[in-house]
Amino acid sequence: MSTLTVIGVAVAAVAVLLVLVIRFKVPAFVALLAAALVTAFASGMPLDEVVPTFVDGMGGTLGSVALLVGLGAMLGAIIEKTGGAAALATSLTSVLGPRRVGPALLLTSGVFAVPIFFDVGFIIMLPIIFSFARAAGHRAPIAVGAPIAALMVFIHNMVPPHPGVTGSSTLLGADVGLVTLLGLGIAVPMGFLVHVVGRMITDRRDFPLDPMVRRRFEQTVDAQDRRAAGEDDEPDGADGTGGTGGTGGTGGAAGRPAPAGGGDVATAVRTAPATVRGPGAFAVASMVVLPVLMITVGTLGSLVVAEDSLPGRVVSLVGEPAFALLVTVAAAIFVLGIRGGWSMRDLSGVMDASLAPAAIVVFVTGAGGVFAEVLTQTGVGDTISQELLGTGMPILLMAFLLATVFKVAQGSGTVATLASAGLVQNVVVDGDFTSFQVALIVLAIGCGSVALSHINDSGFWVANTFLGLSVADGLRTWTVLTTVLGWTTMIILAALWPLAA
């Protein structure tokens, strides 16, 4: 096929994907498969090769993604239902003082966002946000909640085991451990940035709240005043479970249904038995840090020991993200669950229920792998990538802009990430890039899928609905914060690129 024809095929496939997702609200899993089918037929792929190519694309992607997403979902569910978020927030606030509630909760949410999907994690954090916004003297939860929401969705798009960045790492052959470490390293300065920018935005004006959300916030304030007067000893949501149910009511009261994967996920698992005790903050933090430490050992250890030696094999195993998460889940079962009074039966129910929402994400990621495989096998992806490179555009910028365009057009960060990775896959895999450079390309796609989030993104509605903001105020806060994070991170990646050669 001529270059013009190939470009037409790619444009048609992307158009099918966007129209199905945006106009007809077709599930992303089906839309991605339909786009892959259009690409296969339009490019002249032999009919007997279509299904085998689909199978190869699905299997090749899910080989590692399903393990990471499934184990990450289980770890997140254990931390959630044992009251880990409340324990971390309370401990950090007591150390930093009530006037530093915002930074304390921001740090908590950053740690909490590593193993837990954004919408679930934010909904779990919401009652804590409401409670501690009062301690800082804020008139509304937006001052505390907006930076937290932006940072959590940033980590969701930039740090494995979250599905989009894990899937793009698989497609581009990136070292998942290195992507994890770089993503976490970049998240630290972004945490400071979102705190500063968030204060600049929220201090400039009052943000009218949805009446039902305002009532919820005022009830939280009244409850805290009663506790201060010694009339009520039970903090709202302090058990780490009761607050979650309250947020579900908030979503409905705002007049909009909670986005898919939000309140349903948060309430799908068993509630805590009456006899359990919450974990300590150190125990919770250690369970989040443990897999990161194991991955770090594997990444750094491979630089100092021979790969084919026994120590090298041990270090390689320890540093495998799937092994690190498996070990951490086993440790969390004992440290956060059994030691706190949970039975293995109840913990099994928590972990099993966490796989239901995770399965949706796994299948979408697999469908993205199918789309990428069809683009590769038909030569469409290679031709498009070469044409883009022929314009002189650096691969890092190309990856970022492609992800941004997909994000703005259809809203899903996961779809934007996987579609963009599919388009640049041939150039990256066949190119002479170092592992550091490939990791930077993966992160460029990730930050592109964060920037310019707006009303077609479910994350926009999660933050708006539960913080009680209007659409206009959501654009002034959520959209501005995600765009600042995405573009600033791209500048950092561009600065690192010469050092990665």
Side-chain angles (χ1 to χ4, degrees):
M1 290 189 296
S2 66
T3 300
L4 187 60
T5 302
V6 171
I7 293 175
V9 170
V11 170
V14 172
V16 168
L17 174 61
L18 297 180
V19 169
L20 289 177
V21 172
I22 298 171
R23 176 66 178 85
F24 296 105
K25 311 301 180 186
V26 174
F29 175 69
V30 177
L32 281 165
L33 293 179
L37 198 62
V38 168
T39 305
F41 288 158
S43 61
M45 175 180 283
L47 296 181
D48 60 343
E49 294 181 10
V50 173
V51 173
T53 301
F54 274 41
V55 173
D56 289 343
M58 180 71 74
T61 303
L62 295 188
S64 58
V65 172
L67 274 174
L68 295 179
V69 173
L71 290 170
M74 285 185 172
L75 176 59
I78 295 172
I79 294 174
E80 170 199 342
K81 285 302 172 182
T82 55
L88 274 177
T90 303
S91 178
L92 285 171
T93 301
S94 65
V95 171
L96 297 175
R99 292 190 176 275
R100 298 183 178 88
V101 168
L105 285 184
L106 194 62
L107 178 59
T108 301
S109 66
V111 174
F112 201 45
V114 175
I116 298 178
F117 293 169
F118 160 70
D119 52 355
V120 179
F122 183 71
I123 291 169
I124 295 165
M125 289 291 294
L126 193 71
I128 306 171
I129 291 170
F130 275 32
S131 297
F132 288 94
R134 167 61 173 171
H138 295 299
R139 289 170 292 179
I142 180 65
V144 176
I148 287 176
L151 181 62
M152 292 184 79
V153 82
F154 177 81
I155 292 174
H156 181 94
N157 283 271
M158 296 288 287
V159 180
H162 293 299
V165 65
T166 303
S168 62
S169 297
T170 301
L171 292 174
L172 302 185
D175 183 333
V176 177
L178 184 57
V179 172
T180 302
L181 296 179
L182 287 173
L184 289 173
I186 291 173
V188 173
M190 291 304 100
F192 287 104
L193 177 65
V194 78
H195 174 65
V196 173
V197 176
R199 287 196 62 178
M200 291 173 58
I201 294 173
T202 57
D203 287 350
R204 287 181 177 179
R205 63 190 301 272
D206 289 331
F207 289 87
L209 298 183
D210 179 278
M212 296 304 293
V213 174
R214 177 169 294 281
R215 187 177 305 128
R216 166 70 172 162
F217 182 64
E218 290 172 351
Q219 288 172 351
T220 302
V221 172
D222 291 342
Q224 288 186 321
D225 290 342
R226 288 195 302 271
R227 289 197 299 272
E231 300 174 14
D232 185 0
D233 296 327
E234 182 62 29
D236 181 26
D239 61 353
T241 56
T244 304
T247 61
T250 302
R256 293 182 292 265
D264 292 340
V265 177
T267 58
V269 297
R270 295 169 183 245
T271 55
T275 57
V276 302
R277 59 184 182 277
F282 178 79
V284 177
S286 66
M287 291 301 98
V288 178
V289 171
L290 178 58
V292 177
L293 288 178
M294 293 179 67
I295 291 171
T296 303
V297 168
T299 301
L300 299 181
S302 63
L303 302 176
V304 297
V305 297
E307 185 179 350
D308 56 351
S309 65
L310 179 58
R313 295 189 183 96
V314 172
V315 165
S316 177
L317 175 63
V318 169
E320 282 290 339
F323 180 75
L325 279 172
L326 180 60
V327 170
T328 305
V329 168
I333 289 173
F334 175 75
V335 174
L336 304 183
I338 294 176
R339 203 173 67 170
W342 287 73
S343 69
M344 196 62 230
R345 178 181 178 183
D346 287 323
L347 287 171
S348 294
V350 167
M351 291 187 290
D352 287 344
S354 71
L355 293 179
I360 298 173
V361 180
V362 167
F363 275 108
V364 171
T365 307
V370 172
F371 186 37
E373 181 70 13
V374 170
L375 289 172
T376 299
Q377 295 301 323
T378 58
V380 172
D382 186 52
T383 301
I384 296 296
S385 298
Q386 293 298 337
E387 286 296 317
L388 289 173
L389 285 177
T391 65
M393 184 184 299
I395 181 65
L396 196 70
L397 179 59
M398 181 201 306
F400 172 76
L401 292 179
L402 283 172
T404 302
V405 169
F406 273 108
K407 174 70 173 184
V408 171
Q410 53 78 47
S412 169
T414 300
V415 173
T417 299
L418 297 172
S420 304
L423 287 176
V424 301
Q425 182 181 33
N426 282 26
V427 173
V428 175
V429 173
D430 296 337
D432 187 22
F433 298 108
T434 66
S435 59
F436 196 170
Q437 288 175 326
V438 175
L440 292 181
I441 294 171
V442 169
L443 293 177
I445 292 174
C447 63
S449 69
V450 173
L452 289 171
S453 170
H454 61 100
I455 59 175
N456 63 356
D457 182 4
S458 65
F460 177 93
W461 292 111
V462 168
N464 267 32
T465 299
F466 290 112
L467 291 177
L469 299 178
S470 66
V471 171
D473 284 336
L475 293 172
R476 294 187 183 100
T477 53
W478 169 270
T479 302
V480 171
L481 289 173
T482 56
T483 302
V484 167
L485 287 177
W487 282 90
T488 304
T489 301
M490 181 58 203
I491 294 171
I492 294 174
L493 297 177
L496 293 174
W497 184 262
L499 305 176

